[in-house]
Amino acid sequence: MTNPYSLDHARSLDATDPLPTRRAEFHVPRHDDADQAYFVGNSLGLQPRGTRAQVEDVLDKWSMEAVEGHFRGHSQWLSYHGLMREPLARLVGAKPLEVVAMNSLTANLHLMMVSFYRPTAERPAILIEAGAFPSDRYAVASQIAFHGFDPDTDLIELEPDLPGGLFSMEAITAAIETHGHRLALVLWPGVQYRTGQSFDLREVTRLAHAQGARCGLDLAHAAGNIELSLHDDGADFAVWCHYKYLNSGPGAVAGCFVHERHAHSGVQRFAGWWGHEPASRFRMGPDFVPSEGADGWQLSNPPILGLAPLRASLDQFDAVGMPALRQKSLRLTGYLQQLIDERLADTLEVVTPRDPAQRGCQLSIRVRGGREQGRALFGHLAAHGVLGDWREPDVIRISPAPLYNTFEDVFRFAHAVEAWRDAGR
Ligand SMILES: *Cc1c(COP(=O)(O)O)cnc(C)c1O
């Protein structure tokens, strides 16, 4: 056995891995004369080299065909969002009619709540996790207030019961059962953004439905990270963004899932012309007839320039497939965990669950020395081309993305931490 704590070993892991890195397919920012060790795919994924061509293709088509680009030649804009349907469905384990790329995450969350948060006096409440991403909390609190209810009593925030802000399934079960009779909606994350904990989404959904509540999922940190089976797991809706693990650029057009059981149900929604069924949309009639499935929640004709990068991104995911990508992710993050355990346990503490079934690629790592030390370490890492991100008060998130991060990147992180520690900080 070679010493796992050597650059040679990390390089040999890269050279012999069953899924070679696709790093060459991406633009990796440079630091000095080397690639950055970029671990921030949980915040903004790297640009695929194929993105520019997809964007230019739209610009060219617009310049040459103008309005006729909507319905002429290849990649027509009228049905452009449909080009994403099948690859998106594969990505999240859904049926094609259950997914659509549209709007942004928070906008989709509101649109989904218009349809699937239907509070009554007996059943007005929404359950979310305490410490949820602020936008999600703002969205649910404002929906509760919009319906004339009181977020102080009807927004139920489950406090973590385990150290480091983690949740046991027992606590989730107890909360859903205790509040069940008052719950209109359970909104749960696929992967919690702060801790990196992932959840049994089938069980969360089952528990919510057993209480007569709807279940929605925020997959911002789960899509493109863990394997999802949205159709079989059965949640009513899910929303996610495409600029994190989906590498589709800042503010990219987001994703939305509506379960097949609602595909033809005429459920109430806020309507717009792009949700009208396509065959008669251009008769421009006064009455809204929804498209079947998730397409029926679209409002506007989509920003084609904004959708173009998603095509290049989904090509990357389709070239590998989520099962193989997830296996690689387990190896990369497992190596990160191993190096921390064996060499850095006096300096760093992993907050994210150890069980690979309860996490994606991200490790949330607490700096034992506290906030000031943590800030100093974070600065040291950045100065050495190792980029993670900082969460107050003392956590560095490191997310090895299996499409473009390498074992060598992981080694560079650990090595830089060790150098900082050994220099007496
Ligand atoms: C990243 C993220 C968001 C961001 O919302 P946008 O509408 O895309 O700006 C929302 N919720 C969660 C959980 C996130 O991780």
Side-chain angles (χ1 to χ4, degrees), residues 42-43 103-109 129 132-137 189-194 218-222 239-244 251-252 254 391 397:
N42 59 346
S43 186
N103 311 316
S104 59
L105 186 159
T106 306
N108 288 340
L109 182 54
E129 89 276 22
F133 195 92
S135 199
D136 299 53
R137 193 183 187 285
V191 174
Q192 216 283 342
Y193 83 103
R194 195 184 289 270
D218 186 324
L219 304 177
H221 284 261
V239 294
W240 62 93
C241 57
H242 286 137
Y243 48 81
K244 292 170 180 166
R391 280 293 168 272
R397 299 189 305 178

Side-chain angles (χ1 to χ4, degrees), residues 384-405:
H384 289 79
V386 177
L387 212 68
D389 74 357
W390 177 258
R391 280 293 168 272
E392 294 292 347
D394 55 5
V395 168
I396 297 174
R397 299 189 305 178
I398 297 290
S399 304
L403 277 173
Y404 51 76
N405 280 121

Side-chain angles (χ1 to χ4, degrees), residues 247-267:
N247 307 320
S248 298
V253 175
C256 189
F257 162 92
V258 181
H259 196 276
E260 185 180 34
R261 80 176 75 87
H262 305 298
H264 306 101
S265 65
V267 55

